[in-house]
Amino acid sequence: MKQLMIVVPAYNEEEALPKTLEVLDGVLSEMINQGQVTPNSQILIVNDGSADKTWDIVVAASQANPHITGINFSRNYGHQNALIAGLTVAQDAADIFITIDADLQDDVNAIPEMVAQNAAGYDIVYGARNSRETDSAFKRNTAELFYKIMGKLGVEMVPDSADYRLMSRRAVIHLLDFKEHNLFLRGIVPRVGFPSTVVYYARKEREAGESKYPLSKMINFAWDGITSFSVAPMRFILGIGVLSVLFAIIMVIYAFIKEITGHTVAGWSSLMISLWVIGGLQLIAIAILGEYIGKIFNEVKDRPRYVIQDNLLNNEDLDDKQFTRH
Ligand code: UDP
Ligand code: MG
């Protein structure tokens, strides 16, 4: 029997969290009763610098229920960092880890199935939604486009799987060896390797509160995913550059022929157009280079990915430094 840790990132989730804790605790208790996981299995809430009552709810719940624990960031560090923090802090506190969002959009009934698949020998069990009916048409279409582009760019991902997955302890330990700061977990986890499988579930509406991923965060996330994993945008720019040089050679020949046959006209419009086209291409190329250099800059600074302010997990033997620098 294995010890399970359910890691839940939460950012301003005071509306959804009480229900989420109740539901997750129900699932966990049931699994403990069935002898599927050990009685000391837990739910770890990572409070990602919420401005609302999220952390108070976690503290109260942890006092009332030994199955609930939490860590509290000193500010908002983002969803992906919250997941990494939860796994880092809990890596020695369980045998298997499940990450799930705080809004219960992912079906908790898949948890026992994930654990069963792990018992059957899989180190990583991806939760993948089998339909997106409850997402808005906009979210559905953009997500579809995103996975299509990522696939084309050669980033390995399990389609329609988000950050709902089970990982064994050894998979987590190797995942934590990936030290990059531009985190895109759903692209990294498949690179850890180990036997893996997929469990399908229907994704539901958000239980309460609003999406913490507005369009701007979604675009940032997608762009990070692309530029953290692929140099395809740079190759694309190179291709356009080569094409425009070829085009320029043709234009020179064309202009030369026109010249010797005596058909030259004042070339103001063609000059203006090429000025803008080339100028635009150069700006795009520089911006893309800048994006990669910025990423290198971020990695080189090697700043901590997050700072933990409070840790309810093994509070007694807490060595501050151990948890504050990563
Ligand atoms: N989240 C977080 N930090 C953030 C944004 C979101 O920890 O800066 C958490 C949020 O509380 C939720 C999960 O990440 O548990 C996914 O966010 P959300 O449900 O808002 O995203 P969506 O499902 O709309 O893509
Ligand atoms: Mg959600």
Side-chain angles (χ1 to χ4, degrees):
M1 222 191 330
K2 289 179 175 169
Q3 185 180 350
L4 169 67
M5 182 69 82
I6 302 176
V7 177
V8 189
Y11 174 56
N12 292 342
E13 296 283 7
E14 65 179 4
E15 289 174 62
L17 201 56
K19 175 86 191 291
T20 303
L21 287 174
E22 189 190 318
V23 171
L24 283 176
D25 186 45
V27 173
L28 188 63
S29 304
E30 177 68 19
M31 290 169 71
I32 291 171
N33 290 339
Q34 304 270 320
Q36 216 188 348
V37 296
T38 61
N40 57 355
S41 295
Q42 279 185 309
I43 301 160
L44 171 71
I45 311 294
V46 183
N47 176 35
D48 183 12
S50 302
D52 64 4
K53 297 246 176 297
T54 300
W55 183 241
D56 299 339
I57 295 171
V58 175
V59 172
S62 76
Q63 280 158 3
N65 183 342
H67 288 143
I68 295 173
T69 183
I71 55 176
N72 186 25
F73 278 180
S74 60
R75 47 156 287 171
N76 180 248
Y77 286 102
H79 181 204
Q80 304 285 294
N81 287 320
L83 290 171
I84 282 287
L87 294 173
T88 303
V89 166
Q91 58 182 309
D92 297 323
D95 307 309
I96 46 177
F97 302 82
I98 289 177
T99 49
I100 185 169
D101 287 352
D103 57 10
L104 291 188
Q105 277 188 285
D106 305 312
D107 186 2
V108 295
N109 295 318
I111 291 178
E113 205 186 326
M114 287 179 171
V115 174
Q117 291 292 341
N118 170 259
Y122 293 102
D123 281 85
I124 301 176
V125 187
Y126 298 97
R129 60 190 84 163
N130 50 20
S131 80
R132 277 183 171 269
E133 275 154 29
T134 56
D135 277 344
S136 67
F138 178 73
K139 187 131 191 169
R140 210 161 49 223
N141 290 329
T142 48
E144 204 167 288
L145 183 71
F146 174 60
Y147 284 107
K148 216 177 255 174
I149 293 175
M150 293 299 277
K152 283 257 183 330
L153 296 180
V155 183
E156 235 181 281
M157 285 198 301
V158 179
D160 284 326
S161 75
D163 288 304
Y164 183 28
R165 65 177 91 79
L166 175 147
M167 297 183 81
S168 67
R169 181 148 186 270
R170 65 172 180 175
V172 166
I173 285 171
H174 287 287
L175 173 72
L176 295 177
D177 273 343
F178 288 70
K179 298 287 184 206
E180 48 209 286
H181 290 242
N182 298 295
L183 269 187
F184 188 66
L185 281 174
R186 58 191 86 159
I188 297 176
V189 174
R191 298 199 174 203
V192 176
F194 293 125
S196 66
T197 185
V198 181
V199 164
Y200 289 94
Y201 65 93
R203 189 160 155 106
K204 293 184 280 197
E205 303 267 8
R206 208 174 210 293
E207 200 58 50
E210 279 165 11
S211 171
K212 308 297 182 284
Y213 266 102
L215 182 62
S216 59
K217 263 195 185 173
M218 265 166 60
I219 291 174
N220 274 337
F221 187 60
W223 184 237
D224 259 357
I226 291 169
T227 53
S228 299
F229 273 91
S230 159
V231 291
M234 290 213 279
R235 301 251 167 84
F236 178 69
I237 293 291
L238 180 69
I240 291 184
V242 170
L243 277 183
S244 73
V245 169
L246 287 179
F247 186 71
I249 293 172
I250 294 167
M251 281 309 282
V252 167
I253 296 168
Y254 176 74
F256 186 69
I257 293 169
K258 283 279 185 194
E259 175 69 37
I260 53 177
T261 52
H263 288 102
T264 41
V265 284
W268 187 83
S269 41
S270 57
L271 256 181
M272 283 316 276
I273 289 169
S274 45
L275 190 77
W276 283 95
V277 169
I278 300 295
L281 287 180
Q282 283 175 335
L283 282 181
I284 293 172
I286 292 169
I288 290 187
L289 280 175
E291 173 73 17
Y292 283 96
I293 293 170
K295 286 228 145 64
I296 296 169
F297 184 55
N298 263 334
E299 301 294 340
V300 165
K301 277 186 298 190
D302 198 25
R303 286 188 177 157
R305 292 195 276 212
Y306 50 83
V307 175
I308 295 174
Q309 187 176 313
D310 308 287
N311 186 335
L312 304 177
L313 195 80
N314 49 35
N315 230 350
E316 54 284 355
D317 52 14
L318 174 64
D319 165 11
D320 269 342
K321 271 281 177 297
Q322 190 187 332
F323 292 124
T324 45
R325 296 225 62 218
H326 291 281

